Amino acid sequence: MLIRRPADIAPSEITDQTIYRQRRNFITGAAAIGVSAFLPTQATASTKLPNIKKSAYQVNEALTPFKDVTTYNNFYEFSTDKSGPAIIARNFTTRPWTVTVDGLVHKPMTFDIEDLLKFSLEERVYRLRCVEGWSMVIPWLGFSLNEILKRVQPTGSAKYVEFTTLLDPERMPGQRYPVLNWPYVEGLRLDEAQHPLTLLALGLYGEVLPNQNGAPVRIVTPWKYGFKSTKSIVRIRLVESPPVSSWMRAAPSEYGFYSNVNPDVDHPRWSQARERRIGEFLKRKTLPFNGYGDQVASMYAGMDLKKYF
Ligand code: MTE
């Protein structure tokens, strides 16, 4: 991974969580009493997602400001600079868009993005810990990937799930350079992909996904390093053997298949014991499985996580 020292991000000047919550409450309240016609024009034309349910998945920590979530990004299809994707992906067109789910399944299906948006969406506040040593707390909108996996009915020989990002160097200019082996590919074990925490995300902070965060649809696997959370996916393929991810292909000694957040396993070039929450000054301890151990550790019982890093 091209590692740059994270530039210091100005702390939460912009949409802090109180303003966000107030805005949410106002819009939800207005919809409930049928006064949406009186909302300002901007709200009518906004990219807000309606009918979002609250979920039980709520990290009780300060949300990372919207400004930081949307201007400090890793999205190499657009730029290897943290601030680049917000600018270069501004006009990325995400319609039409489909996600094909195939491979070792009884019922292969192709979902139009508009149909994915009709699933019952919920808000989940997850920590996201990047392998580079920074983290954020983000209110994602989406639903468990397993909702889709159940529909396609994996066959008995499906053991892994491979995620593939769109390949289109015209629309994703970073793909014109051999920074990675394009398209971006990642994978999960089938039980990890079926785990209720694994999210198919279609939005954040009440709105459709900003382009730089992986529009129109991405994966979020909160107990793993951020690079496992593939952006702008077009294909989900069920397979028998572990997929070789783009990062494993680029640097096999640095990026393993599992990539569970683990403070006890250093990256070959730096420690993973601590992290910097974006917007905070002092570093904090990194938690095993990014704090999701109670929910996910049992999937790795008996495995040597230093070997299967
Ligand atoms: N997905 C694609 N297709 N391309 C990428 O470069 N970067 C990954 C991941 N998914 C990446 C990707 C990395 S390294 C991280 S940390 C997260 O996206 C960052 O997600 P965010 O920008 O929404 O915070």
Side-chain angles (χ1 to χ4, degrees):
M1 189 173 287
L2 286 181
I3 301 298
R4 285 154 203 269
R5 176 180 283 242
D8 272 332
I9 298 270
S12 48
E13 316 112 13
I14 315 292
T15 312
D16 78 11
Q17 52 176 324
T18 323
I19 296 169
Y20 162 68
R21 299 278 173 205
Q22 283 168 354
R23 210 172 54 177
R24 281 283 309 277
N25 290 346
F26 169 61
I27 286 171
T28 317
I33 56 171
V35 294
S36 53
F38 298 101
L39 287 172
T41 333
Q42 211 188 333
T44 317
S46 84
T47 51
K48 293 242 153 287
L49 283 170
N51 307 322
I52 306 295
K53 290 185 302 184
K54 265 254 176 270
S55 80
Y57 302 95
Q58 303 285 329
V59 167
N60 198 13
E61 291 165 13
L63 298 180
T64 303
F66 179 81
K67 169 104 190 295
D68 293 340
V69 172
T70 55
T71 56
Y72 191 82
N73 300 105
N74 274 335
F75 202 171
Y76 281 17
E77 284 83 344
F78 292 98
S79 170
T80 54
D81 276 344
K82 296 281 180 283
S83 54
I87 300 160
I88 300 168
R90 195 169 281 153
N91 297 321
F92 177 53
T93 50
T94 57
R95 294 294 186 281
W97 193 281
T98 57
V99 180
T100 296
V101 192
D102 62 359
L104 301 173
V105 298
H106 292 293
K107 295 195 169 162
M109 295 175 91
T110 293
F111 295 88
D112 192 272
I113 189 66
E114 308 303 344
D115 293 328
L116 291 176
L117 285 162
K118 286 181 197 142
F119 276 67
S120 170
L121 304 184
E122 55 182 43
E123 182 183 79
R124 298 189 182 183
V125 178
Y126 280 169
R127 296 183 199 93
L128 181 130
R129 164 64 156 88
C130 182
V131 74
E132 294 165 343
W134 49 267
S135 63
M136 301 196 189
V137 176
I138 302 176
W140 299 104
L141 309 175
F143 57 90
S144 290
L145 172 66
N146 198 31
E147 296 300 317
I148 299 277
L149 297 177
K150 280 191 284 196
R151 293 199 185 195
V152 298
Q153 300 174 14
T155 69
S157 43
K159 299 282 183 284
Y160 294 87
V161 183
E162 179 190 77
F163 305 98
T164 307
T165 295
L166 175 73
L167 178 65
D168 187 345
E170 288 295 313
R171 283 150 79 196
M172 295 181 142
Q175 290 178 339
R176 296 176 206 160
Y177 307 93
V179 186
L180 282 175
N181 202 38
W182 307 113
Y184 194 99
V185 168
E186 260 304 340
L188 294 173
R189 220 170 56 190
L190 181 58
D191 60 334
E192 296 177 327
Q194 289 170 325
H195 193 283
L197 274 175
T198 301
L199 185 71
L200 196 74
L202 295 138
L204 55 78
Y205 265 107
E207 303 184 357
V208 298
L209 267 185
N211 290 343
Q212 59 271 34
N213 294 92
V217 55
R218 71 176 290 174
I219 301 296
V220 183
T221 328
W223 70 98
K224 294 178 178 279
Y225 291 119
F227 65 88
K228 301 294 286 181
S229 295
T230 317
K231 294 179 168 184
S232 306
I233 53 169
V234 291
R235 190 173 186 199
I236 300 173
R237 191 164 66 104
L238 285 93
V239 292
E240 197 156 6
S241 318
V244 181
S245 71
S246 297
W247 286 111
M248 288 163 73
R249 210 178 278 281
S253 60
E254 300 195 0
Y255 305 106
F257 175 76
Y258 283 93
S259 290
N260 293 320
V261 173
N262 191 340
D264 299 330
V265 176
D266 289 344
H267 183 281
R269 290 186 277 141
W270 61 86
S271 160
Q272 294 291 27
R274 302 177 74 75
E275 69 199 54
R276 194 172 71 94
R277 181 66 50 84
I278 296 295
E280 290 181 0
F281 180 66
L282 294 175
K283 286 192 172 179
R284 54 171 75 208
K285 274 188 173 172
T286 285
L287 301 171
F289 300 107
N290 204 20
Y292 297 93
D294 287 352
Q295 291 104 304
V296 302
S298 61
M299 286 195 289
Y300 310 101
M303 282 175 68
D304 178 354
L305 296 180
K306 290 200 156 85
K307 183 171 169 205
Y308 296 102
F309 62 92

